[in-house]
Amino acid sequence: MTILVVHHRVRAFDAWKPVFDAHADSRREHGARRHWLYTAPADRNDVVVAVEFPSADAANGFLADPSLAGAMERAGVEGEPMVHIWEQVEDVTY
């Protein structure tokens, strides 16, 4: 499993979320299987998105999709996001 993790600041979470939701078809087209959203407890506009892809190539394909930049702009993403791609090496449930 590959996880794409994006950490960015948004102007307003409640305005960002509908744009993120509307961009789901693009994520699916690149093989996305599911996602997780996180916000900082003290600042809801500090957002982390984690998206599961079948491979690093699929995640990179999504990152290269021209629609992504436009969606992020419409959603009110501020500054340059921090982007990481991670490969799962272990899954333990407690």
Side-chain angles (χ1 to χ4, degrees):
M1 171 180 23
T2 300
I3 298 293
L4 168 66
V5 179
V6 180
H7 181 195
H8 52 56
R9 177 154 197 78
V10 300
R11 271 184 241 118
F13 180 85
D14 291 336
W16 171 87
K17 179 68 165 65
V19 179
F20 174 82
D21 291 343
H23 201 241
D25 286 344
S26 178
R27 291 189 296 276
R28 280 189 210 98
E29 287 171 10
H30 291 281
R33 296 177 176 156
R34 58 185 174 154
H35 73 263
W36 301 261
L37 297 179
Y38 304 90
T39 60
D43 183 358
R44 196 162 181 218
N45 297 326
D46 186 2
V47 179
V48 173
V49 179
V51 184
E52 179 184 330
F53 286 92
S55 67
D57 286 344
N60 280 311
F62 172 69
L63 289 172
D65 188 314
S67 71
L68 180 58
M72 291 177 79
E73 185 176 329
R74 285 190 311 280
V77 172
E78 299 179 330
E80 194 67 29
M82 290 186 290
V83 178
H84 301 278
I85 295 176
W86 302 95
E87 296 287 337
Q88 182 177 350
V89 294
E90 186 172 59
D91 183 356
V92 177
T93 302
Y94 292 93

